[in-house]
Amino acid sequence: MEHNNSHSQGVQQVPQMQKMTLIRKIADSDIFYSFCRSPLIVFAAVLCLSLVLSALFAPWLAPYDPFDQSSLSLWAANLAPLSTDDDGFFYLMGTDNQGRDILSAIMYGMRTSLIVGLAAVAFALVLGTSLGLVAAFFGGWVDSLLMRIADIQLSFPAILVALLIDGVAKAVLGSSQMESLAIYVLILAIGLSEWVQFARAVRAAALVEQRKEYVQAARIMGVPVPLIMLRHILPNVISPILVIATISIAVAIITEATLSFLGVGIPQTEPSLGTLIRVGGNYLMSGEWWITLFPGLTLVLLVLSFNLLGDWLRDALNPRLK
């Protein structure tokens, strides 16, 4: 019995030792050292994490539910920040024209913006990485065709490409179906406008990697082409992908906000930061500045934090800058 107990305790200690080793490796890494010695990057990470968590847990952290029509009152509409209504409810950032709490609407709206941004970047990452690997590995007319398509798309601003795709989808689906599929169409439009950066970066890195000895050895051994790309080349081109993905999240959030502000993105019934800014813009000249100021400030802070983290990650993963 004592032998079995000691054996079971030894088995339980193995995962704990592995976790401690992993934590120690992370703490001793150059990236963690670079992160800790920059107060600006630490602040950006804390700010980004706070905004993401507040959006993720909006149903539990938000003071009010902006989707609950029964709790809305026109008597509480257009209240200034730090105001209290007749029922004693306090509004830190004021209310909009429908009596919705601005703080709660921002938390729910930021949740929608983050979902669209992250999903669009994930789609662009998968598509761009796959096409970049295919272009680098096969070369020839496949490489030329994919890169010429990428060059043509780069000649157009991403917002115009997203507007074009959104317009085509609206013409094909119709207004009724477009209302229910607006988020998915927006994710597709933004993703198709952002895949070029991933494809070009992965292609450039993969062209260098495929000339190395380990790839040549894998070809001689008869390893299938898809397995070579996924197991051997892809892990060595992760660094540029992570940098582009971090910065692209900020670009995707801005694109979503721009499209929603123009009225072709998220419907007004599902508030995002763009729709909140658009609604607030209608009341800006009448003195209700807080309806558009606070969502706009939140958008700036969210995008700024992602951009700062992307710039730091680019410098930390670039061996030439060390």
Side-chain angles (χ1 to χ4, degrees), residues 46-260:
V46 173
L47 176 62
C48 181
L49 183 62
S50 301
L51 293 174
V52 171
L53 289 179
S54 63
L56 182 63
F57 296 102
W60 298 275
L61 297 178
Y64 309 99
D65 185 1
F67 295 103
D68 187 7
Q69 299 294 329
S70 61
S71 63
L72 299 181
S73 174
L74 293 178
W75 295 105
N78 298 329
L79 291 179
L82 305 178
S83 297
T84 304
D85 62 7
D86 297 336
D87 296 328
F89 293 107
F90 177 73
Y91 301 100
L92 179 64
M93 295 184 179
T95 61
D96 62 3
N97 60 312
Q98 298 181 9
R100 294 183 300 184
D101 178 47
I102 296 295
L103 177 59
S104 302
I106 288 175
M107 295 173 71
Y108 277 89
M110 187 166 49
R111 192 182 195 187
T112 303
S113 297
L114 283 171
I115 290 175
V116 173
L118 292 173
V121 171
F123 174 69
L125 187 151
V126 174
L127 179 62
T129 301
S130 302
L131 295 179
L133 289 174
V134 169
F137 200 88
F138 290 99
W141 68 270
V142 176
D143 183 21
S144 299
L145 176 63
L146 291 176
M147 290 302 102
R148 296 300 76 77
I149 295 175
D151 292 338
I152 293 173
Q153 182 166 331
L154 282 177
S155 63
F156 297 94
I159 188 67
L160 291 182
V161 177
L163 280 171
L164 176 62
I165 297 173
D166 184 84
V168 172
K170 186 175 294 184
V172 172
L173 297 176
S175 301
S176 58
Q177 292 185 351
M178 187 65 184
E179 186 76 16
S180 59
L181 300 176
I183 292 181
Y184 303 102
V185 173
L186 193 58
I187 291 172
L188 179 65
I190 297 176
L192 289 177
S193 65
E194 297 291 338
W195 69 271
V196 176
Q197 289 79 6
F198 292 98
R200 292 173 68 89
V202 170
R203 173 184 175 272
L207 284 174
V208 176
E209 293 296 327
Q210 71 174 354
R211 297 189 182 97
K212 295 183 178 179
E213 290 79 4
Y214 70 94
V215 176
Q216 301 297 331
R219 286 181 171 179
I220 295 173
M221 294 174 61
V223 178
V225 172
L227 198 58
I228 293 177
M229 290 191 294
L230 294 177
R231 180 178 293 180
H232 299 283
I233 297 181
L234 182 59
N236 292 285
V237 299
I238 288 295
S239 296
I241 294 176
L242 293 177
V243 174
I244 296 174
T246 306
I247 298 177
S248 296
I249 292 175
V251 176
I253 292 175
I254 291 179
T255 305
E256 180 277 322
T258 304
L259 292 174
S260 298

